Amino acid sequence: MQASFFLSAPNPLPMELQNHSQMTYQQGAAPFLVCATSGTTVLGAFDPLDEIADICSRYGLWLHVDASWGGSALMSRKHRKLLHGIHRADSVAWNPHKMLMAGIQCCALLVKDNTDLLKRCYSAKASYLFQQDKFYDVSYDTGDKSIQCSRRPDAFKFWMTWKALGTLGLEERVNRALALARYLVEEIKKREGFRLLLEPEFANVCFWYIPPSLRTMQEGPEFWAKLNLIAPAIKERMMKKGSMMLGYQPHQGKVNFFRQVVISPQVSREDMDFLLDEIDLLGRDM
Ligand SMILES: *Cc1c(COP(=O)(O)O)cnc(C)c1O
């Protein structure tokens, strides 16, 4: 669970949540919302939504799912089980501009509530903008219903993508991305000097490149300190050469590692091979 937010309330705190929030509980606070993540940004990890939803329904907590990255897996019959239980969420955030490649930016906030909650929260009924005494049905005016006011109709971009590719086309995009990630994982396992951080759940392939000079070294603090410098140095070389752009980061005590996320339908297995060849070429003298 990525985060829970608290407000002051006398309700007893659910046992399951006490460990996560002891300080706030002792101050008399109680949780009202749980934010689960479907597809974390770095590792592509998925929270167990059904189990979290059980706790939320038992204690009357709002369940929000941050599916910004992983939500697109729902388009795939093969991979949608990653989000099993998402139908129980009260709200979901999802970015079609990520895996489905709708023109950036295109973000959706989906809410289960059908009592005009967003309108009740955000509508300002500004009479200088949203006149009610028009000659047509003003329920078609969307301005006052949106969270933002003067912004682009971003949903249109996703609608166009969906129309152009069809549901099957979008499903294929997701399946292809995950199949390519799988291919890359198997290649990394085969190659000397490459090491996976962990078996990926999704399209995020996280790995280290260990240059020859470090391969015989014992994996103590000195090894990790040296390895930490490798990804940034290789990235500098790839950028100056102009051959690739590949992100890296440290994460939860793990030193800098590369993160390859494949989403483009134009990327092929040959590109995955090139990626690994190129990293080896750029880093083998380090
Ligand atoms: C990308 C991402 C976000 C941020 O989404 P924006 O639309 O850029 O604000 C939030 N959460 C996760 C897990 C993401 O991957």
Side-chain angles (χ1 to χ4, degrees):
M1 260 174 267
Q2 198 176 47
S4 349
F5 301 100
F6 297 87
L7 86 171
S8 222
N11 311 7
L13 187 67
M15 286 302 290
E16 292 90 332
L17 295 173
Q18 284 193 17
N19 293 337
H20 294 281
S21 55
Q22 214 136 31
M23 278 180 55
T24 15
Y25 178 58
Q26 281 161 3
Q27 290 158 6
F32 69 97
L33 177 145
V34 173
C35 179
T37 305
S38 291
T40 57
T41 307
V42 177
L43 301 179
F46 287 73
D47 278 330
L49 299 181
D50 253 329
E51 288 168 42
I52 295 171
D54 285 345
I55 295 173
C56 289
S57 64
R58 203 166 338 134
Y59 297 103
L61 303 170
W62 183 281
L63 174 57
H64 175 73
V65 179
D66 177 356
S68 301
W69 167 224
S72 297
L74 288 170
M75 299 304 299
S76 162
R77 283 165 290 184
K78 188 169 173 195
H79 298 291
R80 64 173 51 143
K81 57 181 180 289
L82 287 166
L83 295 104
H84 192 260
I86 197 165
H87 59 285
R88 300 171 67 191
D90 296 291
S91 56
V92 174
W94 170 46
N95 285 351
H97 73 222
K98 289 187 173 173
M99 189 170 267
L100 299 183
M101 297 180 68
I104 200 164
Q105 65 195 50
C106 178
C107 313
L109 173 67
L110 309 167
V111 286
K112 179 170 273 171
D113 177 277
N114 57 12
T115 66
D116 260 346
L117 182 66
L118 289 180
K119 196 171 178 183
R120 283 188 281 132
C121 288
Y122 294 104
S123 169
K125 295 202 176 68
S127 57
Y128 63 97
L129 286 176
F130 309 117
Q131 299 84 359
Q132 302 299 301
D133 50 355
K134 286 179 180 158
F135 66 93
Y136 57 84
D137 180 357
V138 294
S139 68
Y140 289 113
D141 289 345
T142 55
D144 204 23
K145 291 181 198 162
S146 66
I147 296 174
Q148 298 173 307
C149 187
S150 45
R151 297 294 183 276
R152 298 175 299 262
D154 288 318
F156 187 63
K157 290 179 272 190
F158 181 52
W159 185 83
M160 286 289 282
T161 310
W162 203 336
K163 279 281 176 198
L165 298 176
T167 302
L168 290 178
L170 293 179
E171 175 177 44
E172 200 178 292
R173 242 175 214 196
V174 175
N175 289 348
R176 189 186 156 82
L178 286 156
L180 265 183
R182 196 28 53 197
Y183 174 78
L184 183 60
V185 165
E186 296 311 320
E187 285 303 304
I188 285 171
K189 286 181 185 169
K190 279 187 213 158
R191 293 190 186 220
E192 204 193 339
F194 287 85
R195 193 192 301 174
L196 273 182
L197 206 79
L198 77 178
E199 263 315 310
E201 263 184 277
F202 199 43
N204 310 39
V205 181
C206 298
F207 64 94
W208 285 290
Y209 173 72
I210 302 166
S213 67
L214 296 184
R215 284 179 205 165
T216 49
M217 220 173 140
Q218 204 162 19
E219 290 182 18
E222 196 192 337
F223 170 85
W224 293 111
K226 286 193 162 157
L227 187 60
N228 190 44
L229 305 174
I230 297 299
I234 292 178
K235 169 118 189 192
E236 179 182 342
R237 288 184 180 182
M238 68 174 73
M239 287 183 72
K240 287 183 172 163
K241 182 176 171 189
S243 57
M244 295 195 300
M245 283 281 275
L246 177 59
Y248 70 85
Q249 67 283 291
H251 185 61
Q252 290 179 345
K254 309 277 192 205
V255 303
N256 278 321
F257 55 88
F258 288 115
R259 168 168 48 117
Q260 174 63 55
V261 179
V262 184
I263 51 172
S264 169
Q266 284 154 4
V267 172
S268 66
R269 289 182 168 205
E270 287 70 45
D271 297 306
M272 299 293 95
D273 296 338
F274 174 80
L275 167 91
L276 299 179
D277 291 342
E278 182 72 2
I279 289 174
D280 189 40
L281 188 70
L282 294 170
R284 68 169 64 141
D285 66 338
M286 286 179 180

